[in-house]
Amino acid sequence: MSVSADSGPLAALSAAGVSVWLDDLSRELLAGGQLKKLITDNRVVGVTTNPTIFASALSKGDRYNKQLRRLGDEGSSVDDAVFALTTDDVRTGCDVFGPVYARTGGIDGRVSIEVDPRLAQDADATIAVARKLWDAVDRPNLFIKIPATRRGLRAITAVIAEGISVNVTLVFSLERYREVMDAYQTGLERALAAGRDLTKIHSVASFFVSRVDTEVDRRLKAIGTPEAQALKGKAAIANARLAYQAYEQTVADPRWQRLATAGARTQRPLWASTGVKDPSYPDTMYVGELVIAGTVNTMPGATLAAFADHGALSAHAPAADDFAAAAAHLAALEDIGVDFSDVTDTLEREGLTKFEDSWRELGESVDREMHAEAATSDAGSGSQESADLLATYLNDHYSGATGGLELFRRAAKARTDAEGGAALAELARQVEEDRDALARTMADLGVDTRNSKAALGRLAEKASRLKSNGRLLSRSPLSDLLEAETLLLGVLGKAACWRTLRVLADSDERLDADRLDTLLERAEQQSATLEELRSAAAARALRSRPAPEQ
């Protein structure tokens, strides 16, 4: 991401009135200076976090270890330790964005921290934790993230009324989005009645995008008709555009106009989940198609880098014709058998479950690291040579997983058959999850992933030679077969790694045997899928064909 801050796609996006935020935060970003560089070089003016991001941050590097072991020595609970780690990082992030906050009059320069997702169905507990986070971070450019569950709506209203700025998250449906805007306005009305300065209260509503296409496309694939296939990849943008139409209707309403006259700030739409899940789609589509002044787009690092490199802006912001087309598309989905209300309800449930799972994993990692020295002492000094060998072994597998993920993504994009491409895209998603699981396992064992660059370089060099089938710049009839065999070998190697760790789990309590069994079972399922793809590719490429008649 070396494009100048004064030119390039990100500069154009910013000039179009879109606030560019990063969906990531870690001590590596903070301490290494990368976050400041993103601000100066890539127009990044805010950050969002969630439990998955913090769980991932803890698995990379060792910048949290000293604090965690101190907290362990002090007898802190796991929940208190998680609270300390996350609020420390977010407070530091707020300080980094302080100049942006001042320059934009409080509009941007924002950093978000989420309440414990396990409390999403408990409004009173959510309100109490929101207050605690607000007081602990103690920065005016903080956003408290609250999930937009039905019970969460009451919490949103309550904390807004107290003058706490809120990022409402996990919004998927138009109905829930309207309820979120109503909750915000009700909170502002209460704040105004209490004599609060409305200009100091800010909010964004995080409307999730790409996950909608993932779920809708899955259902369209199950329907399987040509008409269903023609509707794929369009629901997410249509849903987001209709959300913006709802926003425009709300701010034009007399109720909002009265609040605006009293100094209220609009609750800006924030496009979340903008990383493309299906590699057959353009990797910047959820940014370029939602260029609307006054909105926020929070992007994972890979999407930010992709847009900086080759992003393009849509021709115009959505207008009446676009809203009508979006509504027609959702109607077509209903007509063909996709219950869109069930889609958004499913996504809300799955989103909460994912964050709860990440929160649990975060807590487990924190617990292990807090007591790592005691566990090491109890187990004895052991063999440093064995520890070094294990670190080398795991780093090599981590590098292989990283390189393998890129091969899966490339193979999925290159497939000309929709079924094979979809199967490889799903495998790529699973392989990414497996790599993250390996990173967490390495962190549990005290192994740093930062030492894997040399091995990764060797893997990349080998991968660049693997496609040497005589057609370096184009595909041959053997390409699908060779790729399937290469990917199959990689998955078999991954399964061997899980088996090795499973053996160690019998004598090392830092390893989760049940999780390793699950990962091994999934690797075997992946191998079976790849074998089917390999056999089909072999038949296509190598089966004897009748000789042409003379």
Side-chain angles (χ1 to χ4, degrees):
M1 292 187 289
S2 58
V3 178
S4 168
D6 297 324
S7 63
L10 288 172
L13 185 64
S14 179
V18 177
S19 293
V20 178
W21 288 12
L22 176 69
D23 193 30
D24 193 15
L25 187 67
S26 69
R27 290 197 181 168
E28 295 295 321
L29 277 174
L30 291 166
Q34 297 102 311
L35 189 58
K36 289 183 178 179
K37 185 173 177 61
L38 289 172
I39 294 171
T40 57
D41 292 356
N42 291 87
R43 299 298 183 106
V44 171
V45 293
V47 156
T48 49
T49 69
N50 59 49
T52 302
I53 285 171
F54 279 120
S56 177
L58 198 66
S59 71
K60 300 171 183 174
D62 57 3
R63 295 185 185 273
Y64 296 92
N65 295 1
K66 184 177 179 180
Q67 182 182 8
L68 282 172
R69 288 169 186 170
R70 175 179 57 78
L71 290 167
D73 291 342
E74 294 173 354
S76 296
S77 69
V78 170
D79 283 347
D80 286 345
V82 169
F83 187 90
L85 291 183
T86 55
T87 54
D88 283 354
D89 279 7
V90 168
R91 188 183 305 106
T92 303
C94 285
D95 291 341
V96 172
F97 279 99
V100 177
Y101 173 77
R103 185 178 73 243
T104 61
I107 300 297
D108 285 310
R110 297 279 174 172
V111 182
S112 300
I113 187 170
E114 188 154 350
V115 298
D116 184 338
R118 298 172 297 181
L119 307 177
Q121 305 300 345
D122 187 334
D124 291 335
T126 295
I127 293 166
V129 172
R131 292 170 180 152
K132 185 178 178 182
L133 289 167
W134 184 258
D135 291 340
V137 175
D138 193 25
R139 296 294 186 273
N141 52 333
L142 176 68
F143 269 143
I144 304 297
K145 288 182 74 175
I146 299 177
T149 61
R150 290 200 180 278
R151 291 184 176 90
L153 295 171
R154 182 165 71 84
I156 292 161
T157 292
V159 297
I160 288 291
E162 294 182 16
I164 296 173
S165 295
V166 176
N167 176 345
V168 184
T169 189
L170 290 177
V171 186
F172 293 97
S173 73
L174 299 176
E175 177 185 4
R176 185 57 51 82
Y177 182 42
R178 292 188 181 96
E179 292 172 340
V180 166
M181 290 188 286
D182 176 74
Y184 177 56
Q185 291 179 93
T186 301
L188 289 175
E189 288 163 349
R190 293 181 186 177
L192 181 62
R196 296 188 183 277
D197 182 356
L198 298 192
T199 66
K200 304 294 186 183
I201 305 173
H202 290 252
S203 183
V204 293
S206 294
F207 199 86
F208 279 55
V209 185
S210 68
R211 296 187 195 180
V212 173
D213 273 342
T214 300
E215 180 63 20
V216 169
D217 287 0
R218 183 187 67 80
R219 298 185 185 206
L220 291 171
K221 180 182 178 182
I223 294 171
T225 63
E227 293 80 7
Q229 296 301 308
L231 295 173
K232 291 175 66 176
K234 302 172 184 176
I237 297 297
N239 196 40
R241 285 177 174 167
L242 291 175
Y244 186 74
Q245 182 186 39
Y247 165 80
E248 285 190 323
Q249 293 167 347
T250 295
V251 297
D253 188 83
R255 180 188 183 191
W256 173 256
Q257 293 300 318
R258 287 191 295 271
L259 287 167
T261 300
R265 309 278 193 161
T266 58
Q267 184 184 51
R268 290 188 296 167
L270 182 151
W271 310 124
S273 181
T274 55
V276 173
K277 305 294 191 292
D278 187 333
S280 66
Y281 296 157
D283 56 2
T284 62
M285 65 181 286
Y286 300 123
V287 181
E289 293 297 322
L290 292 172
V291 180
I292 306 172
T295 65
V296 180
N297 197 306
T298 187
M299 312 175 210
T303 303
L304 183 70
F307 199 85
D309 179 66
H310 54 267
L313 277 61
S314 53
H316 61 273
D321 289 347
D322 301 295
F323 297 142
H329 183 79
L330 295 192
L333 290 175
E334 296 285 350
D335 290 343
I336 208 166
V338 175
D339 184 342
F340 199 72
S341 293
D342 184 66
V343 167
T344 55
D345 288 347
T346 297
L347 291 172
E348 180 180 303
R349 289 193 303 271
E350 290 180 348
L352 284 172
T353 298
K354 181 179 179 181
F355 282 172
E356 288 170 3
D357 290 345
S358 295
W359 193 270
R360 185 181 64 255
E361 291 173 5
L362 174 60
E364 291 170 354
S365 297
V366 164
D367 188 30
R368 281 189 289 270
E369 192 58 45
M370 285 170 68
H371 304 101
E373 290 185 350
T376 301
S377 176
D378 292 342
S381 60
S383 168
Q384 183 61 45
E385 181 180 3
S386 294
D388 290 343
L389 289 172
L390 178 62
T392 300
Y393 175 79
L394 293 176
N395 268 295
D396 284 348
H397 272 283
Y398 183 80
S399 299
T402 300
L405 175 59
E406 295 306 313
L407 290 176
F408 268 100
R409 288 171 172 167
R410 185 173 66 185
K413 289 182 178 180
R415 288 294 286 248
T416 56
D417 61 309
E419 185 174 354
L424 287 172
E426 171 58 21
L427 287 175
R429 183 190 66 78
Q430 295 180 16
V431 167
E432 183 173 18
E433 290 180 352
D434 293 345
R435 183 192 62 175
D436 292 343
L438 177 58
R440 288 193 294 272
T441 300
M442 293 170 71
D444 294 343
L445 295 170
V447 175
D448 189 350
T449 60
R450 293 180 299 169
N451 296 326
S452 61
K453 292 183 179 178
L456 180 58
R458 293 195 297 272
L459 178 75
E461 191 252 340
K462 291 178 182 177
S464 69
R465 297 200 304 263
L466 260 172
K467 285 195 69 177
S468 297
N469 55 11
R471 303 186 183 210
L472 288 173
L473 299 178
S474 62
R475 295 179 68 79
S476 83
L478 286 175
S479 295
D480 288 350
L481 175 58
L482 292 175
E483 284 175 345
E485 291 181 348
T486 301
L487 297 173
L488 179 57
L489 288 173
V491 170
L492 292 173
K494 174 175 64 179
C497 177
W498 299 141
R499 291 191 184 95
T500 297
L501 291 171
R502 183 61 182 83
V503 170
L504 296 179
D506 291 336
S507 58
D508 193 330
E509 63 181 14
R510 296 174 296 174
L511 291 168
D512 186 332
D514 290 339
R515 183 168 65 177
L516 289 168
D517 287 339
T518 299
L519 290 167
L520 179 56
E521 180 180 353
R522 182 155 82 164
E524 291 169 349
Q525 293 171 349
Q526 293 166 353
S527 297
T529 300
L530 284 168
E531 176 55 32
E532 291 178 3
L533 293 172
R534 190 203 68 79
S535 297
R540 288 196 303 271
L542 303 177
R543 179 178 292 152
S544 299
R545 295 175 174 81
E549 295 182 4
Q550 300 295 323

PDB file of all heavy atoms in Angstrom, residues 148-159:
ATOM      1  N   ALA A 148     -27.070  -4.976  17.583  1.00  0.00           N
ATOM      2  CA  ALA A 148     -28.431  -4.500  17.341  1.00  0.00           C
ATOM      3  C   ALA A 148     -29.449  -5.623  17.503  1.00  0.00           C
ATOM      4  O   ALA A 148     -30.295  -5.848  16.626  1.00  0.00           O
ATOM      5  CB  ALA A 148     -28.529  -3.885  15.952  1.00  0.00           C
ATOM      6  N   THR A 149     -29.380  -6.342  18.622  1.00  0.00           N
ATOM      7  CA  THR A 149     -30.432  -7.300  18.924  1.00  0.00           C
ATOM      8  C   THR A 149     -31.661  -6.536  19.409  1.00  0.00           C
ATOM      9  O   THR A 149     -31.585  -5.351  19.723  1.00  0.00           O
ATOM     10  CB  THR A 149     -29.973  -8.272  20.013  1.00  0.00           C
ATOM     11  OG1 THR A 149     -29.677  -7.523  21.212  1.00  0.00           O
ATOM     12  CG2 THR A 149     -28.718  -9.027  19.593  1.00  0.00           C
ATOM     13  N   ARG A 150     -32.783  -7.223  19.504  1.00  0.00           N
ATOM     14  CA  ARG A 150     -33.997  -6.542  19.974  1.00  0.00           C
ATOM     15  C   ARG A 150     -33.789  -5.991  21.380  1.00  0.00           C
ATOM     16  O   ARG A 150     -34.182  -4.868  21.685  1.00  0.00           O
ATOM     17  CB  ARG A 150     -35.190  -7.503  19.945  1.00  0.00           C
ATOM     18  CG  ARG A 150     -35.639  -7.840  18.540  1.00  0.00           C
ATOM     19  CD  ARG A 150     -37.056  -8.372  18.512  1.00  0.00           C
ATOM     20  NE  ARG A 150     -37.470  -8.687  17.145  1.00  0.00           N
ATOM     21  CZ  ARG A 150     -37.924  -7.806  16.271  1.00  0.00           C
ATOM     22  NH1 ARG A 150     -38.000  -6.543  16.633  1.00  0.00           N
ATOM     23  NH2 ARG A 150     -38.272  -8.174  15.062  1.00  0.00           N
ATOM     24  N   ARG A 151     -33.161  -6.786  22.243  1.00  0.00           N
ATOM     25  CA  ARG A 151     -32.896  -6.303  23.594  1.00  0.00           C
ATOM     26  C   ARG A 151     -31.801  -5.243  23.597  1.00  0.00           C
ATOM     27  O   ARG A 151     -31.765  -4.376  24.466  1.00  0.00           O
ATOM     28  CB  ARG A 151     -32.527  -7.476  24.493  1.00  0.00           C
ATOM     29  CG  ARG A 151     -33.681  -8.426  24.766  1.00  0.00           C
ATOM     30  CD  ARG A 151     -33.289  -9.531  25.740  1.00  0.00           C
ATOM     31  NE  ARG A 151     -34.423 -10.377  26.073  1.00  0.00           N
ATOM     32  CZ  ARG A 151     -34.760 -11.477  25.399  1.00  0.00           C
ATOM     33  NH1 ARG A 151     -34.044 -11.838  24.357  1.00  0.00           N
ATOM     34  NH2 ARG A 151     -35.796 -12.202  25.772  1.00  0.00           N
ATOM     35  N   GLY A 152     -30.902  -5.320  22.603  1.00  0.00           N
ATOM     36  CA  GLY A 152     -29.835  -4.328  22.525  1.00  0.00           C
ATOM     37  C   GLY A 152     -30.342  -2.938  22.199  1.00  0.00           C
ATOM     38  O   GLY A 152     -29.693  -1.929  22.535  1.00  0.00           O
ATOM     39  N   LEU A 153     -31.508  -2.849  21.549  1.00  0.00           N
ATOM     40  CA  LEU A 153     -32.045  -1.537  21.183  1.00  0.00           C
ATOM     41  C   LEU A 153     -32.276  -0.666  22.423  1.00  0.00           C
ATOM     42  O   LEU A 153     -31.992   0.534  22.405  1.00  0.00           O
ATOM     43  CB  LEU A 153     -33.346  -1.711  20.405  1.00  0.00           C
ATOM     44  CG  LEU A 153     -33.226  -2.396  19.038  1.00  0.00           C
ATOM     45  CD1 LEU A 153     -34.613  -2.692  18.478  1.00  0.00           C
ATOM     46  CD2 LEU A 153     -32.435  -1.534  18.066  1.00  0.00           C
ATOM     47  N   ARG A 154     -32.781  -1.284  23.489  1.00  0.00           N
ATOM     48  CA  ARG A 154     -33.007  -0.508  24.717  1.00  0.00           C
ATOM     49  C   ARG A 154     -31.692  -0.014  25.299  1.00  0.00           C
ATOM     50  O   ARG A 154     -31.612   1.116  25.804  1.00  0.00           O
ATOM     51  CB  ARG A 154     -33.754  -1.362  25.749  1.00  0.00           C
ATOM     52  CG  ARG A 154     -34.069  -0.608  27.038  1.00  0.00           C
ATOM     53  CD  ARG A 154     -35.094  -1.334  27.875  1.00  0.00           C
ATOM     54  NE  ARG A 154     -34.576  -2.543  28.476  1.00  0.00           N
ATOM     55  CZ  ARG A 154     -33.886  -2.577  29.626  1.00  0.00           C
ATOM     56  NH1 ARG A 154     -33.603  -1.450  30.267  1.00  0.00           N
ATOM     57  NH2 ARG A 154     -33.479  -3.718  30.135  1.00  0.00           N
ATOM     58  N   ALA A 155     -30.663  -0.854  25.217  1.00  0.00           N
ATOM     59  CA  ALA A 155     -29.352  -0.436  25.719  1.00  0.00           C
ATOM     60  C   ALA A 155     -28.791   0.715  24.898  1.00  0.00           C
ATOM     61  O   ALA A 155     -28.191   1.659  25.437  1.00  0.00           O
ATOM     62  CB  ALA A 155     -28.390  -1.623  25.702  1.00  0.00           C
ATOM     63  N   ILE A 156     -28.996   0.682  23.591  1.00  0.00           N
ATOM     64  CA  ILE A 156     -28.516   1.756  22.711  1.00  0.00           C
ATOM     65  C   ILE A 156     -29.156   3.084  23.102  1.00  0.00           C
ATOM     66  O   ILE A 156     -28.484   4.108  23.255  1.00  0.00           O
ATOM     67  CB  ILE A 156     -28.813   1.401  21.238  1.00  0.00           C
ATOM     68  CG1 ILE A 156     -27.952   0.211  20.797  1.00  0.00           C
ATOM     69  CG2 ILE A 156     -28.572   2.604  20.330  1.00  0.00           C
ATOM     70  CD1 ILE A 156     -28.474  -0.491  19.550  1.00  0.00           C
ATOM     71  N   THR A 157     -30.464   3.064  23.269  1.00  0.00           N
ATOM     72  CA  THR A 157     -31.166   4.283  23.675  1.00  0.00           C
ATOM     73  C   THR A 157     -30.644   4.805  25.013  1.00  0.00           C
ATOM     74  O   THR A 157     -30.391   6.012  25.177  1.00  0.00           O
ATOM     75  CB  THR A 157     -32.676   4.008  23.781  1.00  0.00           C
ATOM     76  OG1 THR A 157     -33.195   3.761  22.469  1.00  0.00           O
ATOM     77  CG2 THR A 157     -33.412   5.191  24.388  1.00  0.00           C
ATOM     78  N   ALA A 158     -30.439   3.898  25.965  1.00  0.00           N
ATOM     79  CA  ALA A 158     -30.042   4.310  27.310  1.00  0.00           C
ATOM     80  C   ALA A 158     -28.663   4.957  27.333  1.00  0.00           C
ATOM     81  O   ALA A 158     -28.467   6.002  27.972  1.00  0.00           O
ATOM     82  CB  ALA A 158     -30.073   3.106  28.251  1.00  0.00           C
ATOM     83  N   VAL A 159     -27.690   4.363  26.635  1.00  0.00           N
ATOM     84  CA  VAL A 159     -26.342   4.924  26.709  1.00  0.00           C
ATOM     85  C   VAL A 159     -26.222   6.198  25.880  1.00  0.00           C
ATOM     86  O   VAL A 159     -25.484   7.115  26.250  1.00  0.00           O
ATOM     87  CB  VAL A 159     -25.274   3.880  26.298  1.00  0.00           C
ATOM     88  CG1 VAL A 159     -25.282   2.698  27.250  1.00  0.00           C
ATOM     89  CG2 VAL A 159     -25.466   3.407  24.882  1.00  0.00           C
TER      90      VAL A 159
END
